[in-house]
Amino acid sequence: MARVLLGVTGGIAAYKACELCRLLVRDGHEVTPILTAGAERFVTAHTFEALARRESPRELYPHLTTADLLVIAPLTANTLAKLAHGIADDVLTQTALAFAGPLVAAPAMNARMWEHPATRANVQTLAERGVELVGPEAGELAEGEVGIGRMSEPEEIHARCTRLLERGSSLRGRRVLVSAGGTREPLDAVRFLGNRSSGRMGVALAAEARSRGATVTLLAANLAVPAPAGVEVVETPTAADLLRETTARADADAVLMAAAVADYRPTGARPDKRPKDDEPWTVLLEPTRDVVRALSDARGDQVIVAFGADHGPDGLERKRRMLGEKRVDLVVYNDVSRSDIGFDASDNEVVLVSASGERTVAKTSKRRVAAEILDEVAKLLPSGT
Ligand SMILES: Cc1cc2nc3c(=O)[nH]c(=O)nc-3n(C[C@H](O)[C@H](O)[C@H](O)COP(=O)(O)O)c2cc1C
């Protein structure tokens, strides 16, 4: 049994939310309906109270802190825009802004509203934030037009809610260590050798692990994006910092090394700023210690996930070998020869390589990729510990 907040907004499909409410109640979930004023022009709060077998609460806060899932169906263009921009001018949007758990949303609107650049940008924002969007579907719309905008069927939305509720607790009680970003190796007091990693993939993993109930520590190497709420953040700007902090926390249940760690560092970095002159500056690079190898050399029964950025099919072959050479449980390969995925992009496409086989996760938001990776991690974790 889970606690589900059901948001209903002012679209013509609001009547279909009654069926969604019924399906969730039938599963034994405690459903709290939250209707916008717009929704009440189409359906009444009474209908939902009868289906949920409970009155709409006067005080939402206690439900907010204990809820397992928020589902909004239908989601109007208006409320979608408010969610994207953090506007909280009614009970539903206030709830969505304050709720830290998973959010399923089923947009429904006129096809032209759906295709408008404003809506496209808002949808993209929600997808990047990890909102599970269901639909909309193509078909005949209320106005008699045909296009994309019809709300997905209640059964489909219900199935997604079920999947998320199962996922929601899949890492409860587990300690998860994630590294993110790119290390910077000092040349002198102000200059460094770095890489293009923004930290988006690691941040998405930390956020997803947190939403599944894990206690998460994020080793942050010069992130270009904010760390997610609810996770412990430890700054690890250099490869040496990352090695030290990883080793100190190596007893986590799962360790996901998504940071791009320097393989080489300049020897003898100057403590001051090297003055500018006309002479060439010769720098000698020395190899750094491999963090993943150090982890697997000292491993207990934790699940170790290594990320491998490489080029093309040959790169994939090298990453397959990494599984055995570095004795890790899962290798996530991404092809950095493509500019639309990987480094500093909001989307990713990866191949998950484990002892049991390989699986390609087609191009999608990094948050979705994170969800797929953590599904694999949950399967690899020894049960009941
Ligand atoms: C008959 C009718 C049908 C509507 N259907 C939709 C719809 O399917 N999707 C949508 O985004 N807006 C629809 N609207 C517009 C919304 O009701 C309007 O934007 C409202 O402000 C939404 O408020 P809410 O998001 O707070 O519920 C419809 C309006 C009317 C009058």
Side-chain angles (χ1 to χ4, degrees):
M1 197 274 282
R3 294 190 173 91
V4 178
L5 304 171
L6 170 61
V8 184
T9 67
I12 195 79
Y15 74 94
K16 286 196 194 174
C18 301
E19 177 61 6
L20 176 60
C21 184
R22 195 188 67 77
L23 292 170
L24 291 166
V25 170
R26 193 193 60 183
D27 287 344
H29 301 319
E30 185 185 297
V31 179
T32 303
I34 311 170
L35 277 67
T36 62
E40 293 212 50
R41 291 190 296 161
F42 295 90
V43 284
T44 70
H46 280 314
T47 313
F48 285 89
E49 285 172 2
L51 288 166
R53 298 177 203 139
R54 61 209 311 270
E55 280 187 18
S56 290
R58 287 180 207 289
E59 176 58 81
L60 256 173
Y61 191 73
H63 298 271
L64 195 68
T65 49
T66 56
D68 302 292
L69 179 83
L70 168 62
V71 50
I72 307 180
L75 174 64
T76 55
N78 176 55
T79 299
L80 193 155
K82 289 197 220 171
L83 296 182
H85 295 279
I87 295 169
D89 64 351
D90 59 20
V91 177
L92 178 59
T93 48
Q94 284 159 20
T95 301
L97 201 55
F99 182 60
L103 167 57
V104 177
M109 64 196 72
N110 170 283
R112 276 173 289 198
M113 289 166 95
W114 178 248
E115 277 153 21
H116 192 282
T119 307
R120 309 287 354 114
N122 293 334
V123 168
Q124 169 92 2
T125 301
L126 294 190
E128 278 171 19
R129 231 180 259 159
V131 174
E132 186 84 6
L133 292 160
V134 191
E137 314 287 336
E140 194 177 330
L141 305 173
E143 306 82 1
E145 288 183 72
V146 175
I148 297 178
R150 214 157 57 91
M151 188 175 92
S152 294
E153 291 306 317
E155 291 75 12
E156 166 84 16
I157 304 166
H158 169 255
R160 286 290 191 96
C161 293
T162 306
R163 214 175 85 194
L164 247 85
L165 284 168
E166 282 165 5
R167 271 183 174 175
S169 55
S170 63
L171 294 176
R172 191 157 290 158
R174 306 287 192 171
R175 283 172 307 135
V176 172
L177 182 66
V178 182
S179 72
T183 59
R184 292 177 178 176
E185 307 306 319
L187 283 155
D188 67 7
V190 297
R191 303 178 179 95
F192 58 83
L193 281 183
N195 61 64
R196 286 172 40 219
S197 178
S198 63
R200 283 189 175 82
M201 190 64 240
V203 164
L205 280 164
E208 185 64 28
R210 174 81 189 89
S211 77
R212 292 171 184 222
T215 303
V216 182
T217 301
L218 178 66
L219 304 179
N222 312 297
L223 301 182
V225 289
V231 311
E232 182 199 11
V233 179
V234 178
E235 299 291 340
T236 53
T238 67
D241 295 328
L242 192 59
L243 176 65
R244 186 187 63 248
E245 300 300 336
T246 304
T247 311
R249 294 168 178 79
D251 60 344
D253 298 302
V255 184
L256 298 103
M257 294 283 102
V261 186
D263 297 320
Y264 299 92
R265 76 164 73 84
T267 50
R270 288 175 61 133
D272 57 346
K273 178 174 182 270
R274 181 190 192 273
K276 184 179 174 194
D277 58 30
D278 294 332
E279 295 304 308
W281 181 1
T282 305
V283 176
L284 185 66
L285 301 178
E286 62 184 16
T288 58
R289 188 152 169 233
D290 189 312
V291 181
V292 173
R293 205 179 284 275
L295 256 176
S296 65
D297 282 350
R299 69 178 298 160
D301 60 357
Q302 72 271 60
V303 171
I304 301 178
V305 181
F307 284 69
D310 212 320
H311 288 258
D314 289 350
L316 176 58
E317 195 46 50
R318 277 191 287 276
K319 295 307 149 195
R320 285 183 184 126
R321 290 201 294 272
M322 201 168 142
L323 201 62
E325 284 167 8
K326 294 202 182 177
R327 294 188 300 117
V328 297
D329 302 284
L330 183 70
V331 173
V332 181
Y333 167 65
N334 69 307
D335 186 349
V336 287
S337 61
R338 286 174 54 181
S339 60
D340 59 331
I341 56 169
F343 275 144
D344 213 15
S346 32
D347 286 347
N348 212 353
E349 178 177 310
V350 299
V351 184
L352 306 182
V353 186
S354 71
S356 60
E358 282 179 24
R359 184 158 76 83
T360 299
V361 180
K363 186 178 163 186
T364 184
S365 69
K366 285 189 173 168
R367 183 65 187 255
R368 279 269 176 119
V369 173
E372 298 281 347
I373 293 168
L374 288 171
D375 282 350
E376 294 296 322
V377 168
K379 281 187 229 157
L380 290 164
L381 280 165
S383 56
T385 52

